[in-house]
Amino acid sequence: MRVFVTGASGWIGSAVTDELLAHGYEVVGLARSAESAEALTAKGATAHRGDLDDPDGLASAAASADGVVHLAFKHDFSDYAAAGRTEHAAVRRVLDALRGSDRPFLIASGLASHVTGRPVTEQDVSPHHGPDSMRGGGENLALEYAEHGVRSVALRFAASVHGMSDPGFVAVLTATAKERGAAGYVGDGANRWPAVHRSDAARLVRLALEKAPAGSRVHAVAEEGLPTRDIAAAIGDHLGLHTASVAPEDAEAHFGWMARFIGMDITASAAHTRDLLGWTPTGPTLYADIAAGAYRLPG
């Protein structure tokens, strides 16, 4: 099976590429640079040069594949709305290329929702619609095409997809803690983040490619919700720093762009995903990765 993977050289995408290659798939990976193309080729994948600003090129690569795993996104927090519009246009163009083929289209998404007081489940519909919404409303756009001959599946990743050398949110919090001299959290730090190890996330993507029916939402979540004050404590223990509460009104000054995320309270269940795909996470916990030096800083 020939699979076109966008974001194939990214944090999650590179692990997905490795997982697919290890299970006999032919991988064509989107590469924005010569360095990314060389890395993909060295693994045994085929590089397709391009980016999300070229939806026609993406559609051409998708049309020649047996399935698409769309993991790329322009993480430009200086103009997040424009990034969403780019995402929406690219996703729609690829979906149109797959229309009526019954081929799989898996799209990376998140767990942000209007649900409060309980974990988000796979049955909860994303509140984000249209190009001006979060991530361009890509999840709902993709799932609409389940009625048009595309086996579209939403891959909802935990806030922390962790592992050695993780460049994500926890890495930013670790760097901020070192800079500020304390591992911070907002308010009482009772708000929670879900987490999953990178290897488990990659395996879930492969299983979803193989098994998930059209219109599915699957949750890459191993730990349903870890209090941010406990994440801060784990970071502080690793760095030899104390923890500190940051008042909500001071969060932006302390955390910068991370302020919009660090105060979110998101918990999520993956019970349906585990039953549907036969997926059982086996990787280290987030706290174990922090203690093991996954977020080791220079200097």
Side-chain angles (χ1 to χ4, degrees):
M1 182 176 183
R2 180 182 175 94
V3 183
F4 177 45
V5 181
T6 73
S9 57
W11 172 245
I12 298 174
S14 58
V16 169
T17 296
D18 291 344
E19 175 76 13
L20 293 177
L21 289 171
H23 285 80
Y25 289 85
E26 180 184 352
V27 175
V28 178
L30 181 66
R32 290 183 299 166
S33 66
E35 292 78 12
S36 294
E38 290 172 4
L40 287 168
T41 302
K43 289 183 174 185
T46 300
H48 174 88
R49 289 297 302 273
D51 57 38
L52 297 184
D53 291 311
D54 178 20
D56 288 341
L58 299 177
S60 176
S64 64
D66 299 309
V68 177
V69 178
H70 177 50
L71 303 174
F73 185 77
K74 294 178 70 172
H75 292 282
D76 181 3
F77 293 106
S78 67
D79 194 349
Y80 202 69
R85 290 190 291 271
T86 297
E87 171 77 351
H88 189 92
V91 169
R92 183 177 291 281
R93 186 68 184 86
V94 170
L95 287 166
D96 283 339
L98 297 176
R99 182 191 287 263
S101 69
D102 291 324
R103 283 176 283 174
F105 177 82
L106 279 58
I107 182 171
S109 188
L111 291 161
S113 75
H114 293 322
V115 173
T116 58
R118 63 168 175 81
V120 178
T121 73
E122 296 88 343
Q123 287 71 43
D124 291 314
V125 177
S126 167
H128 307 299
H129 297 267
D132 294 317
S133 62
M134 184 176 289
R135 295 185 73 97
E139 174 179 316
N140 282 318
L141 175 61
L143 295 182
E144 289 173 9
Y145 276 70
E147 299 180 359
H148 300 288
V150 179
R151 184 161 64 87
S152 49
V153 178
L155 305 167
R156 292 176 169 176
F157 292 101
S160 175
V161 180
H162 55 89
M164 289 295 162
S165 301
D166 169 17
F169 287 163
V170 178
V172 176
L173 292 178
T174 303
T176 301
K178 185 173 183 181
E179 177 185 351
R180 299 293 185 182
Y185 55 87
V186 175
D188 63 4
N191 63 296
R192 297 151 296 175
W193 281 5
V196 66
H197 192 268
R198 182 181 179 225
S199 62
D200 290 322
R203 184 158 41 85
L204 177 139
V205 173
R206 175 180 59 80
L207 292 171
L209 182 67
E210 295 170 351
K211 300 180 180 182
S216 299
R217 306 175 190 91
V218 297
H219 285 188
V221 173
E223 297 177 276
E224 288 195 359
L226 305 173
T228 55
R229 63 171 175 261
D230 292 348
I231 296 174
I235 292 170
D237 287 345
H238 177 63
L239 296 178
L241 299 173
H242 67 281
T243 59
S245 171
V246 177
E249 61 269 24
D250 297 327
E252 186 171 357
H254 184 95
F255 295 104
W257 63 265
M258 265 293 292
R260 72 183 75 179
F261 300 107
I262 184 62
M264 286 184 173
D265 183 42
I266 304 172
T267 62
S269 167
H272 176 71
T273 297
R274 295 185 189 216
D275 290 342
L276 178 68
L277 303 180
W279 177 67
T280 302
T282 59
T285 65
L286 175 59
Y287 298 150
D289 266 350
I290 293 172
Y295 303 94
R296 187 174 292 110
L297 297 172

